[in-house]
Amino acid sequence: MPDIREKLSHVSTQPGVYLFKNSRGKIIYIGKAKVLRNRVRSYFQKSRNPDPKTVRMMQGVRDFETIITDTEVEALILESNLIKEYKPRYNINLKDDKSYPYIRITHEAFPRIFPTRKLVQDGSRYFGPYTDVQGMRNLLKTIQRLFPIRSCKLSLTRQTIAKGRYNVCLNYHINRCSGPCEGFISQAEYNKTIQYIIEFINGNTHAIEQDITEHMQHLAEQRRFEQAARMRDQLLDIQMFTRKQKVFDPELPDRDVIAAASNDDDTCCVIFRIRQGKILSKSHYFLENTRDETPESIFEAFIKQFYLKTTDIPGEIIIPAKLEDHKAVETWLSHRVPVPVRIQVPEKNDTRERLLGLCERNAKYHLNELEIQKLQKKTHVAGAVKALQKALILDDPPKRIEGFDISNIQGTDPTASMVCFVNGKPSKSDYRRFKIRSKQTPDDFTMMHEAVKRRYSRIQRENKDMPDLILIDGGKGQLNAAVKALNELGIRKQPIIALAKRLDEVFMPNTQDAQNIPKDSAALRLLQRVRDESHRFAVTFHRSLRSKRALSSELDDIPGVGPTRRQLLLRQFKSVDNIKAAGLKELKNVDGISESIAETIYNHLNSGEGE
């Protein structure tokens, strides 16, 4: 473990990003600082009075690293990108932000427009993300109805069009496409339509109406009445669509209004996009890890993560609390768009305060929805779990089942596994493995006793709840061994059963005969899944231990090769077979292996001594 005090004395005084890591080297927090030394050192000072979240975090910090940047804005951008990539435990994170779709306008001679959840950095333009997927689809349908653009995936270039490689489809004949594949529209005209669509998505319909009106009059003057009529119909459709939109205040500048509502560890942020006085869209996002966070830190985290990807940034963003790094965030946003961006906190009785109030009511509504969903998820019981409760006559539904199995071949490297199913589905983060200590000769009963006792003695020490049902892979002997272990721990009335492999018979304590559970029932299928998964998990662990032991023992027999050199060889060649196949020259090239040791290894593995 590195000496943190020594590292603290060498931290730079420049702006940058710091990454805190736990004992396993995993990043648990990422932050930025104008002066790295001051910020990082402050976390390790005893005089500091941190909030409860920081106290919990610092208990797990065992190392840190820093990345120096030229400016505070660069540090902010880097911090946002790193949080997006690593999603550290103690940072505020947007939940499931990857699932939100965008509207993509491709970077092609004749662009296409479609929804996507994957951002490709190829010059394409993206709008979103959209939390209201149905609203986004309706917007795309309106665009397809109002603007004649292609929906095909043809690779259209000047060369392919000139060669007449493609023919127009039905969309051209019903005026849903302008026919670029056969050259019926120039690239300049087509891209003018794309520009209309961009303005339309941004809510700037007034500029579109003006341009179409001028174009329509120009066509009429040239006596191109059929084309002018199509432009007129398009203009009427756009005006009809615009009238349906809710106009909040025609005098309002383009702005985003952001408000939030918090409860426990969850926060909901709602954003209103107001363009040309119209509330163009409303989106809501959930943040996690917000317990003990201030409103200022929540809004700053949301703004940095939300605007990191979207290109639709207005000149004004309204929030109810001033950010800690207000100027740095404004500078960063201003660098991403042509106009300067200002983040405003409205005063009382300001028109913008009314907008914030409306936005906050929506945030509370969506947060309440999330709480209801969580409650429903907790109370929901899967059908197979209900069936198992009925089949075993249990007082409570076995929503949490823990299954045990033993794996050993001729008593070598005995292991036990414990798998966990929650509401009928595997919960792999709760799986556990055990190296059996008490017995090396084949004795499944003693091994099962040890595994069960070790598992639930720890549960008692940590004051955690017991599972609703314990499933033992085996017959009455394994079941009795497990029950004995529970009794020794003072655990009584714990639902526990065994599932025998041969006939899939279910045994319960203090009963002589197997339980009669129909072979085609959902209850038995659930038990089989738990049993099979525990067996798979145990066998996998057992095989890995045997493989490691075989590798180690073969290399351990070579004079001069200890644990360090063994690791160097395995890291370089991956397996003993590869080491055997290696030539003397390759062995000598391994860092940490001298020429004499390399010759010893080569001679040992190629002279039959290692067999």
Side-chain angles (χ1 to χ4, degrees), residues 137-193:
R137 287 174 179 163
N138 291 336
L139 175 60
L140 283 172
K141 285 179 181 177
T142 303
I143 289 170
Q144 290 163 358
R145 179 171 55 83
L146 295 178
F147 304 99
I149 56 167
R150 70 186 184 107
S151 58
C152 63
K153 297 181 181 179
L154 300 178
S155 179
L156 299 185
T157 64
R158 291 179 181 176
Q159 291 76 17
T160 58
I161 295 170
K163 290 178 181 178
R165 186 173 295 178
Y166 308 113
N167 296 319
V168 292
C169 62
L170 177 63
N171 282 343
Y172 172 76
H173 297 290
I174 60 173
N175 296 322
R176 288 293 178 88
C177 178
S178 49
C181 56
E182 283 200 51
F184 293 151
I185 185 172
S186 68
Q187 186 176 336
E189 280 295 313
Y190 186 93
N191 280 283
K192 190 171 186 179
T193 303

Side-chain angles (χ1 to χ4, degrees), residues 17-58:
V17 173
Y18 53 94
L19 301 88
F20 287 156
K21 300 179 179 181
N22 62 14
S23 57
R24 298 190 303 276
K26 184 178 181 181
I27 297 170
I28 59 174
Y29 184 75
I30 297 172
K32 68 170 188 328
K34 190 173 183 179
V35 180
L36 273 171
R37 178 178 293 180
N38 295 349
R39 178 64 63 85
V40 175
R41 282 182 169 183
S42 69
Y43 283 96
F44 298 92
Q45 291 173 354
K46 291 183 179 179
S47 59
R48 193 173 187 266
N49 187 24
D51 56 82
K53 181 177 177 178
T54 304
V55 171
R56 292 195 303 272
M57 178 185 77
M58 293 309 297

Side-chain angles (χ1 to χ4, degrees), residues 12-17 33-36 67-73 75:
S12 171
T13 57
Q14 290 183 251
V17 173
K34 190 173 183 179
V35 180
L36 273 171
I67 304 172
I68 298 170
T69 60
D70 288 330
T71 66
E72 189 180 1
V73 174

Side-chain angles (χ1 to χ4, degrees), residues 486-500:
L486 293 175
N487 289 338
E488 289 173 2
L489 295 172
I491 299 173
R492 305 284 193 274
K493 297 182 180 180
Q494 167 63 42
I496 181 171
I497 62 171
L499 181 61

Side-chain angles (χ1 to χ4, degrees), residues 42 93 274 439 568:
S42 69
N93 290 310
I274 299 174
K439 204 80 174 176
L568 290 172

